[in-house]
Amino acid sequence: MCGIVGYIGNKEAFFVIIKGLKLLEYRGYDSAGVALQNGTLEVYKKKGKVAELEAFVMEQKHDGAIGIGHTRWATHGEPNDMNAHPHTSMHGLFTIVHNGIIENYAKLKTDLTEQGYVFSSQTDTEVLANLIEFIYRQDEAINAEMAVQLALSKVVGAYGIAVLCSAENDKMIVARKGSPLVVGLGNGEYFVASDASPIIEFTNQVVYLNDEDIAVIKRDSFTLKNVRNTPVSLKISHLNLEIGELEKGGFEHFMLKEIHEQPRTIEETFRGRLRSDESEIVLGGLINIFPKIVKAERIIIIGCGTSWHAALIGEYLLEEYAQIPVEVEYASEFRYRKPVIRPTDVVILISQSGETADTLAALHLAKEKGATVLGICNVVGSTLARETDAGVFTHAGVEIGVASTKAFTAQVTVLTMFALKLARERKTISAEDYSLLVRELSQIPEKGRLILQSNDKIKAIAEKYKDAVNALYLGRGYLFPVALEGALKLKEISYIHAEGYAAGEMKHGPIALVDDNLPVIVVAPQDDYYEKIVSNIQEVKARRGNVIAIVTEGDKVLKEMVTDFIEIPASHPAVAPLLTVIPLQLLAYHIALMKGCNVDQPRNLAKSVTVE
Ligand code: F6R
């Protein structure tokens, strides 16, 4: 939520910042703004996309080699010019951009109002700007970084901030707690961003700030300490990111590119881990901790949204093959509901971004209770990756479309390998089943490529149903979470109300919705549940519902029975989610596009949810 970019060096800051903000726009796109230091501090901000800000600023004075910028996902105050960042303090001394939420902002605002402060926006960020300024003006001995540090000690909540001070205009101060910040180290220049994508063009040397780190950055120096004044050792990381990953590569949208990338990204996920001789699955990040995992009494898998759907598939896999009790939790519930967590539990946090606030809070809770905490994460260097005891990277590459696609299939691939490895170590799987599943998993990329060839057919189906107001998605077993995921994809990018259900649950309520206007998308390959799901389809048909079925190639029965069908190659049920989800992603994509929706940046959403 919200993207921050900062620059200090000899380049024109404006161009570095605008380009960076475009790369971070996935984090929020309600408004954008920039502050440029050039003798005086010019602040420009606008409701809407970064491109609108760019056009506006191009007509103004935009030179200056120091600057900060922001793209916003609104929390406090509606998206408008006034609430856009940067925010400047009342006397004009401090200008800041902020990602996160200052939870005690109301109390701080009241105190500052009593001191004569007047506010021009509804944001918590303006409160922080004024608090810093208020402290700064109390005593001449207090410099800008001390004022920031003292102000942050009074703040409850989350922040990633970049601050400029007009009275000390050769520096930028940055700090984080709960919201990510990365500093890129150039030659006589520094880059600041919410993630590494705006930095990679200029340098591959970065420092990831940890919680409560505060840094003072000048053209020729970078000093890092803790907001509580304790020294912090500088750990320089090397980025391993290709600029090409940040481009659409000939596709109309990032989402479409990312859907098509899946055969390759799934291969990347199991490269070097799934041995071609089927002898062993190697999960390097877990080697040292695996003996502990094998002895776990219970596994708890936690995530949000799409990552939670992957977690559900993980539950089915682990219980079936590793015979270990598994619980799946929404991070936002788990963190507050006082769950029982024991030191013998293994808690797996799943997150594409590795920055989701609720998931990180769940991680901290599990750690506090002494559980072993593992991460399944896509972003190297993210908070989740750094704070878990051990983990597995999904290696799906940068995911820019706000609706998650390739990250989901990569998460499921990791969970499948993890379940098989654990089953093998716990001796709960036969050698034949193990080999069969390893082989089936390794065949997924090839089968995925075949499914992508159905794109035109799926587009034609989308045309028929694009005006639907509601949609129901049904699946059973491993494909129930796929039904949930299909419904989530449709609602988040096309704004059609969609619900995913376990097919067997339909008769307990949702069947009341069925009429000839309701598309019912049924994930119905030929697996152990086939007969049952055919009965569910009959129940829908008897009420004149339109069934769109995902069927196994050559399934004559369902082809005759349903209104529309999409064929997929046969596979083992345990790996079927990796295939059946692809047509559902494409269906949602085409419907959203036909409805004129912004597929990559759906309204009200942001990719990285760093607020509760
Ligand atoms: C849906 C989607 C979200 C995310 C959720 C968790 O397409 O992308 O539901 O899955 O916000 O995000 P991560 O995985 O980054 O923790």
Side-chain angles (χ1 to χ4, degrees):
M1 314 250 128
C2 301
I4 290 176
V5 182
Y7 176 76
I8 180 161
N10 298 307
K11 295 186 172 63
E12 278 214 40
F14 174 66
F15 295 106
V16 175
I17 292 168
I18 284 292
K19 206 166 172 188
L21 289 180
K22 285 183 181 167
L23 291 168
L24 293 183
E25 216 167 20
Y26 72 85
R27 302 178 67 88
Y29 28 83
D30 290 331
S31 64
V34 64
L36 302 166
Q37 177 71 259
N38 181 19
T40 59
L41 194 71
E42 309 291 344
V43 177
Y44 304 108
K45 42 201 212 173
K46 270 238 153 299
K47 178 180 174 185
K49 295 285 177 68
V50 175
E52 289 166 54
L53 173 76
E54 180 180 24
F56 171 64
V57 181
M58 284 305 284
E59 290 168 8
Q60 325 282 326
K61 182 166 169 276
H62 56 264
D63 48 349
I66 301 179
I68 53 178
H70 188 268
T71 178
R72 178 171 188 242
W73 186 84
T75 57
H76 294 59
E78 65 173 274
N80 59 25
D81 291 356
M82 203 56 112
N83 289 329
H85 298 215
H87 288 282
T88 300
S89 56
M90 195 172 85
H91 300 284
L93 282 170
F94 287 89
T95 297
I96 86 172
V97 289
H98 168 221
N99 170 26
I101 289 184
I102 310 297
E103 288 171 11
N104 58 339
Y105 86 102
K107 164 86 174 72
L108 295 171
K109 192 170 181 174
T110 309
D111 295 349
L112 287 163
T113 307
E114 281 166 14
Q115 298 297 330
Y117 270 90
V118 178
F119 294 81
S120 50
S121 78
Q122 291 125 24
T123 64
D124 50 342
T125 306
E126 191 188 6
V127 175
L128 180 57
N130 280 330
L131 178 62
I132 297 169
E133 183 183 85
F134 175 72
I135 292 169
Y136 186 75
R137 294 178 82 225
Q138 294 305 295
D139 185 340
E140 279 185 359
I142 296 180
N143 66 15
E145 50 266 37
M146 287 157 78
V148 173
Q149 196 174 345
L150 288 168
L152 292 178
S153 70
K154 298 185 188 309
V155 155
V156 178
Y159 54 80
I161 53 169
V163 185
L164 298 178
C165 174
S166 57
E168 298 176 34
N169 62 12
D170 60 338
K171 65 175 78 152
M172 178 187 305
I173 299 147
V174 298
R176 83 154 263 179
K177 185 178 175 193
S179 304
L181 267 191
V182 192
V183 179
L185 316 179
N187 194 1
E189 57 184 356
Y190 292 91
F191 306 82
V192 175
S194 300
D195 75 30
S197 53
I199 296 175
I200 185 66
E201 180 183 345
F202 305 103
T203 174
N204 67 358
Q205 295 213 315
V206 296
V207 173
Y208 292 98
L209 262 56
N210 286 313
D211 271 353
E212 300 200 331
D213 279 357
I214 177 166
V216 181
I217 310 174
K218 297 185 176 180
R219 278 194 183 84
D220 54 1
S221 68
F222 173 72
T223 38
L224 187 65
K225 59 179 174 178
N226 186 285
V227 285
R228 279 174 281 107
N229 248 342
T230 46
V232 171
S233 58
L234 199 67
K235 185 166 170 272
I236 298 176
S237 306
H238 294 266
L239 292 177
N240 191 9
L241 182 71
E242 299 287 330
I243 292 182
E245 289 187 49
L246 308 174
E247 291 162 359
K248 287 190 194 138
F251 286 90
E252 205 181 331
H253 296 96
F254 281 110
M255 183 181 179
L256 189 61
K257 175 187 173 220
E258 288 156 6
I259 292 171
H260 278 82
E261 278 176 337
Q262 290 177 108
R264 187 183 56 75
T265 51
I266 292 171
E267 263 162 9
E268 286 301 322
T269 306
F270 60 60
R271 185 186 304 287
R273 293 165 166 170
L274 198 66
R275 298 286 166 94
S276 55
D277 61 4
E278 294 156 22
S279 60
E280 202 192 343
I281 290 170
V282 181
L283 298 174
L286 301 182
I287 285 178
N288 294 334
I289 212 156
F290 224 82
K292 214 167 166 184
I293 302 173
V294 173
K295 288 198 211 103
E297 284 178 10
R298 174 174 73 148
I299 293 179
I300 305 173
I301 319 182
I302 302 174
C304 303
T306 289
S307 296
W308 184 79
H309 296 157
L312 284 178
I313 296 171
E315 176 185 24
Y316 284 35
L317 286 162
L318 283 160
E319 292 212 338
E320 176 166 356
Y321 293 105
Q323 313 250 306
I324 185 162
V326 177
E327 281 167 35
V328 173
E329 298 266 2
Y330 283 118
S332 55
E333 286 296 311
F334 181 83
R335 64 179 291 191
Y336 288 120
R337 72 168 184 80
K338 306 196 174 47
V340 175
I341 312 163
R342 305 183 203 102
T344 48
D345 290 334
V346 165
V347 175
I348 304 178
L349 293 307
I350 306 184
S351 174
Q352 186 287 130
S353 60
E355 300 295 350
T356 300
D358 285 325
T359 309
L360 293 178
L363 153 65
H364 297 146
L365 178 64
K367 233 175 162 174
E368 218 177 273
K369 302 273 180 187
T372 301
V373 291
L374 310 179
I376 296 179
C377 180
N378 197 36
V379 179
V380 177
S382 61
T383 308
L384 185 92
R386 287 180 290 129
E387 295 193 3
T388 37
D389 296 328
V392 184
F393 284 114
T394 45
H395 295 319
V398 182
E399 191 179 65
I400 293 176
V402 165
S404 188
T405 52
K406 63 176 181 173
F408 172 75
T409 44
Q411 289 165 349
V412 175
T413 303
V414 168
L415 287 162
T416 311
M417 290 189 289
F418 178 72
L420 290 178
K421 185 168 176 63
L422 192 55
R424 171 93 156 217
E425 302 275 334
R426 287 168 58 89
K427 303 189 178 26
T428 49
I429 189 169
S430 68
E432 296 74 40
D433 278 354
Y434 180 85
S435 299
L436 173 69
L437 279 160
V438 168
R439 211 166 42 247
E440 283 278 341
L441 188 56
S442 65
Q443 288 166 0
I444 290 292
E446 218 31 64
K447 293 179 183 174
R449 285 186 185 100
L450 292 173
I451 295 174
L452 290 168
Q453 289 172 11
S454 306
N455 186 43
D456 288 346
K457 176 164 189 192
I458 296 169
K459 197 168 165 183
I461 295 175
E463 183 66 49
K464 279 176 74 175
Y465 298 102
K466 66 176 192 303
D467 297 320
V469 180
N470 297 296
L472 188 60
Y473 285 71
L474 301 175
R476 279 178 178 260
Y478 286 103
L479 303 177
F480 159 50
V482 171
L484 294 177
E485 177 61 8
L488 179 63
K489 289 293 88 100
L490 186 71
K491 77 181 121 190
E492 69 183 329
I493 62 170
S494 75
Y495 319 140
I496 293 174
H497 168 239
E499 292 197 42
Y501 256 88
E505 276 290 298
M506 183 181 62
K507 55 189 172 293
H508 299 290
I511 199 162
L513 296 171
V514 177
D515 62 14
D516 52 1
N517 288 318
L518 184 79
V520 182
I521 298 95
V522 188
V523 193
Q526 285 167 333
D527 57 17
D528 294 347
Y529 298 102
Y530 182 70
E531 308 295 331
K532 301 208 180 304
I533 208 140
V534 169
S535 305
N536 297 138
I537 289 173
Q538 293 286 17
E539 288 156 14
V540 173
K541 276 188 49 126
R543 288 154 184 90
R544 304 196 357 254
N546 291 302
V547 175
I548 304 139
I550 313 296
V551 304
T552 305
E553 239 164 20
D555 179 338
K556 292 203 181 70
V557 175
L558 279 186
K559 278 194 211 166
E560 290 293 312
M561 196 182 291
V562 300
T563 323
D564 291 284
F565 63 87
I566 301 160
E567 288 179 290
I568 56 158
S571 73
H572 190 285
V575 296
L578 293 164
L579 298 176
T580 46
V581 76
I582 299 175
L584 303 188
Q585 296 166 341
L586 283 170
L587 186 67
Y589 169 80
H590 287 298
I591 290 180
L593 201 62
M594 285 166 191
K595 289 175 74 75
C597 301
N598 186 336
V599 173
D600 282 338
Q601 295 177 341
R603 71 182 180 203
N604 304 340
L605 294 178
K607 186 135 191 86
S608 189
V609 186
T610 54
V611 296
E612 293 192 38

